[in-house]
Amino acid sequence: MSFSRVETSRGELRIRESLDDLSTDLVEYISQLSEASVKERGVFTIALSGGSLIGLLGYLCFSFQQSMPFAFELFLRPNSLVKLCETPYIKTIDWTNWYIFWVDERVVAKSHADSNYKLAKDGLLTKVNTSTLHLFQLFAEKQTVLGGSIENSTPLKVLNLVPLQSKIMPSCSFGCLVPVIPSHVHSSNDSVSAEEAASEYEFGIRQLVRTRVISVSDISDCPKFDLILLGMGPDGHVASLFPNHSALDVKDEWVTFITDAPKPPPERITFTMPVINSASTVAMVVTGGTKAEAVHLAIDDVDVGLNPSSLPARMVLPTNGKLVWFLDREAASKLNGVEFSE
Ligand SMILES: O=C1O[C@H](COP(=O)(O)O)[C@@H](O)[C@H](O)[C@H]1O
């Protein structure tokens, strides 16, 4: 089985043979959502989880770097334009219009190895910024040699970087060149208690809903993120919503806190289930055989027992949005009716 895509009552299943294929598919999916959202509303609001998910997003940076050599080819031989405009080379992401949030955060310093912010910063945000910085530096060097001006550089236009350039580096000062705009990165306060961090984080989100950076749900007052990316633990927890925990019952808050997570560290803040289920799209990204049983219980038509909160992942079902599962072969191995060829 190389790739299987199945519609179920528990969302769309996208099952890939290898982690590489899964990562490519996930990144392609995110860039399509980002493009559609930026076209429609001018922004893309994405909430990240921590854990193994972040490693799978690395291709977001790679696909960007991959386009660079072709940009150079175009720069030196303008008639290669057609080739560069073909996918996947034109597939770039409008990072400046991304607004980034965290679905959950561990209450530790931002520099701590357990911090979900640090994980995404090191594994994604810094890499994106470094790639772009290199791209601009290389173009600028070439332009100087050829006596041109970087402002009119065709590669920048083709790679859709001209708006970025005028927005954040009108003076061509590379020092401040970062495509992911720092003020669009909304992480929680790491110097206060879990309770305060949750309420501050919710307050910040409320401001952005008020100014319509984040949309509002059509059926409640909840924020409607364009995309919420969720991982899942082997126990079926999502975000920092653990099985049978009272945080699963919180309905009147957007962000809550816990001090007794069964998985360390114990203190965490997390989006509540109503916020998760108000997103336009929720992507559940699950890999590895240790999660196969939870995947089966969360997706298949089975009786999970009396209490739905025994499996938080099964409670994820956007009310007015889309649920998509990105699974590798191992994670999908216990699903009913999915056949794998050798
Ligand atoms: O503790 C957490 O765990 C989940 C799942 O992590 P994984 O490493 O098993 O993929 C993660 O989604 C969540 O953000 C994190 O805080």
Side-chain angles (χ1 to χ4, degrees):
M1 182 202 65
S2 57
F3 177 46
S4 130
R5 208 169 141 175
V6 189
E7 283 295 342
T8 74
S9 60
R10 297 274 312 133
E12 177 186 338
L13 314 186
R14 298 169 77 112
I15 305 170
R16 285 289 192 146
E17 191 72 45
S18 69
L19 288 183
D20 262 6
D21 291 350
L22 183 74
S23 169
T24 311
D25 188 34
L26 175 63
V27 166
E28 178 69 42
Y29 189 80
I30 296 173
S31 45
Q32 279 169 13
L33 286 189
S34 156
E35 196 184 331
S37 176
V38 170
K39 206 174 271 171
E40 194 188 319
R41 303 197 307 114
V43 299
F44 180 57
T45 55
I46 177 169
L48 305 172
S49 290
S52 52
L53 165 77
I54 297 298
L56 293 168
L57 297 179
Y59 189 75
L60 272 173
C61 318
F62 177 64
S63 67
F64 187 77
Q65 279 165 335
Q66 213 186 19
S67 60
M68 287 189 208
F70 295 95
F72 276 111
E73 194 183 322
L74 172 65
F75 183 84
L76 297 171
R77 285 190 290 277
N79 55 3
S80 62
L81 179 68
V82 175
K83 185 175 178 194
L84 186 63
C85 288
E86 285 169 10
T87 53
Y89 310 118
I90 197 66
K91 195 175 49 180
T92 53
I93 290 173
D94 191 354
W95 298 99
T96 51
N97 290 313
W98 277 40
Y99 284 74
I100 301 173
F101 302 82
W102 276 263
V103 173
D104 74 318
E105 182 54 284
R106 289 95 176 266
V107 182
V108 293
K110 284 196 162 98
S111 55
H112 194 283
D114 282 340
S115 158
N116 284 345
Y117 165 79
K118 178 176 165 47
L119 188 69
K121 180 173 153 264
D122 296 349
L124 181 66
L125 306 180
T126 306
K127 285 184 186 165
V128 170
N129 287 344
T130 310
S131 303
T132 319
L133 178 57
H134 285 159
L135 181 65
F136 271 94
Q137 276 169 336
L138 289 167
F139 283 160
E141 279 160 23
K142 294 271 180 208
Q143 292 280 34
T144 310
V145 171
L146 296 176
S149 115
I150 191 169
E151 279 79 7
N152 295 320
S153 149
T154 313
L156 290 191
K157 285 180 188 151
V158 172
L159 286 171
N160 195 22
L161 291 173
V162 170
L164 164 69
Q165 183 198 9
S166 53
K167 202 166 180 177
I168 61 176
M169 52 161 289
S171 60
C172 275
S173 140
F174 293 118
C176 68
L177 179 62
V178 280
V180 179
I181 296 178
S183 63
H184 292 184
V185 177
H186 295 274
S187 58
S188 57
N189 186 346
D190 64 346
S191 59
V192 294
S193 70
E195 184 172 8
E196 285 168 303
S199 99
E200 268 186 31
Y201 204 53
E202 175 169 326
F203 181 80
I205 292 173
R206 283 191 186 275
Q207 303 310 307
L208 293 166
V209 168
R210 211 159 284 151
T211 53
R212 291 294 182 267
V213 170
I214 306 174
S215 304
V216 195
S217 155
D218 322 302
I219 47 176
S220 68
D221 78 331
C222 275
K224 184 173 186 171
F225 288 92
D226 295 315
L227 174 63
I228 289 187
L229 285 173
L230 291 179
M232 183 189 77
D235 59 352
H237 84 266
V238 292
S240 283
L241 295 168
F242 291 90
N244 302 313
H245 196 286
S246 56
L248 282 165
D249 303 326
V250 177
K251 303 254 179 318
D252 51 355
E253 283 163 21
W254 294 354
V255 183
T256 191
F257 70 100
I258 61 171
T259 54
D260 56 356
K263 174 182 174 184
E267 292 193 71
R268 292 150 174 260
I269 69 166
T270 180
F271 280 7
T272 56
M273 208 44 104
V275 169
I276 292 174
N277 281 334
S278 296
S280 286
T281 302
V282 176
M284 297 274 313
V285 185
V286 189
T287 58
T290 58
K291 298 176 180 176
E293 182 63 20
V295 166
H296 158 66
L297 294 174
I299 296 175
D300 283 331
D301 204 5
V302 288
D303 181 4
V304 267
L306 299 174
N307 184 0
S309 45
S310 60
L311 197 76
R314 204 177 163 90
M315 296 172 73
V316 176
L317 198 55
T319 328
N320 225 354
K322 189 170 163 60
L323 175 61
V324 191
W325 292 79
F326 289 85
L327 304 169
D328 70 345
R329 184 191 176 106
E330 282 75 30
S333 60
K334 293 193 176 171
L335 279 175
N336 292 343
V338 175
E339 306 259 313
F340 297 99
S341 54
E342 286 316 306

